[in-house]
Amino acid sequence: MSIDPTIYYAAIPAVLLVGLTKGGMGEALALMGVPLLAMAVPPVQAAAILLPILVVMDWVSLWIWRKHNNRQLLKMMLPGALLGIAIGWATSAYVPRDALRLIIGLITVLFVLRYFYNSWRVRHGHIIEPKPHRLLPAAFFGTLSGYGSFVAHAGGAPFQVYGLPLKLPPRDYTGAAVRFFAILNFIKLGPYFALGQLDTTNLTISATLVPLAIAATAFGGFMVKRMKPEVFYPFMYSMALIAGTKLVYDGILAFT
């Protein structure tokens, strides 16, 4: 087994960005992880190298956010997400991933633009109430999140589209998001193993990056825990806008 050391020039910044995300700093940074690593190895291998690291990060995040959660958000979104993973596994060979990125990206960008428009209305005297839980939107965006997570590593944006308008306490929202994606990533190990991507070489690369992953995740959690709601929500919506724009760009680029 021979590992090209130049892989780490791409792997180290990729793991740093994803680690900050897993600590609670938003999906936008995570979307850069696989593309960065894919500069050194094929995209499927890049995703396979990152998946075990994501699982380790999830455990760190679960410990950091162990006292914070919103069970209702998980109850509403997890059934759809599990269905989305099952659909993605069954149909991943038939659905163009770039088309899915484009669709999710457009939905996310429109959602964020609506938020900033409503923020402008609030500054001019309008009152915007938190959204209540709704079964059909939760099922739809939960399914889209699970499906996007499996086939295109783009599950965070649909979760934000449903979860952010609830205006939960920032720590409770982050705790629920951490649990949500920890469950999804653990379930995804089976399909990746079945595809033969969790081989000795990839797992060795993953193992050498684990200490950095833990440190980056802990730092991300440290930062988010100190954000006030008036800072947290504009920051998270900005991250969602970057994520959505990145998905739209990737989708358009693939069709040009």
Side-chain angles (χ1 to χ4, degrees):
M1 177 185 65
S2 177
I3 298 174
D4 184 353
T6 61
I7 289 175
Y8 292 97
Y9 292 130
I12 289 174
V15 169
L16 283 172
L17 290 175
V18 177
L20 292 173
T21 293
K22 300 304 288 184
M25 297 189 72
E27 173 71 10
L29 299 177
L31 286 176
M32 302 303 296
V34 171
L36 270 175
L37 190 49
M39 294 171 65
V41 297
V44 174
Q45 185 183 3
I49 291 170
L50 282 177
L51 184 56
I53 297 172
L54 288 175
V55 173
V56 173
M57 289 175 175
D58 286 332
W59 282 105
V60 177
S61 297
L62 287 169
W63 185 83
I64 293 172
W65 298 101
R66 64 193 182 280
K67 296 181 180 179
H68 304 282
N69 188 19
N70 186 278
R71 292 185 179 181
Q72 187 64 21
L73 178 55
L74 290 178
K75 286 171 60 178
M76 295 294 288
M77 294 203 72
L78 269 176
L82 298 179
L83 175 63
I85 288 177
I87 295 173
W89 193 356
T91 64
S92 60
Y94 309 104
V95 178
R97 299 187 179 194
D98 297 307
L100 180 67
R101 287 190 177 97
L102 182 59
I103 293 169
I104 292 176
L106 287 172
I107 291 173
T108 304
V109 169
L110 291 174
F111 152 75
V112 175
L113 292 178
R114 181 174 177 271
Y115 163 77
F116 285 115
Y117 169 69
N118 284 337
S119 297
W120 176 84
R121 292 176 62 200
V122 169
R123 290 195 296 271
H124 289 78
H126 295 272
I127 298 175
I128 307 296
E129 298 291 340
K131 293 284 187 183
H133 282 288
R134 294 159 294 160
L135 183 60
L136 289 180
F140 173 75
F141 287 111
T143 302
L144 193 60
S145 184
Y147 188 88
S149 179
F150 185 84
V151 305
H153 300 285
F159 182 87
Q160 290 175 315
V161 170
Y162 180 80
L164 287 176
L166 301 174
K167 295 187 178 180
L168 301 172
R171 294 187 179 191
D172 292 349
Y173 170 85
T174 304
V178 164
R179 287 165 172 79
F180 181 82
F181 288 105
I183 293 169
L184 265 59
N185 286 330
F186 182 77
I187 291 172
K188 285 158 57 179
L189 284 172
Y192 272 82
F193 182 80
L195 290 171
Q197 288 299 320
L198 298 181
D199 58 21
T200 303
T201 300
N202 290 345
L203 288 175
T204 300
I205 297 171
S206 300
T208 60
L209 293 166
V210 163
L212 179 64
I214 293 173
T217 305
F219 181 74
F222 174 84
M223 294 296 293
V224 172
K225 278 190 172 183
R226 283 152 181 80
M227 287 185 183
K228 296 179 179 179
E230 57 269 24
V231 175
F232 176 82
Y233 276 102
F235 174 80
M236 292 300 290
Y237 276 99
S238 298
M239 290 295 99
L241 179 61
I242 294 171
T245 303
K246 175 70 166 58
L247 290 169
V248 170
Y249 174 80
D250 287 347
I252 292 175
L253 192 66
F255 290 105
T256 57

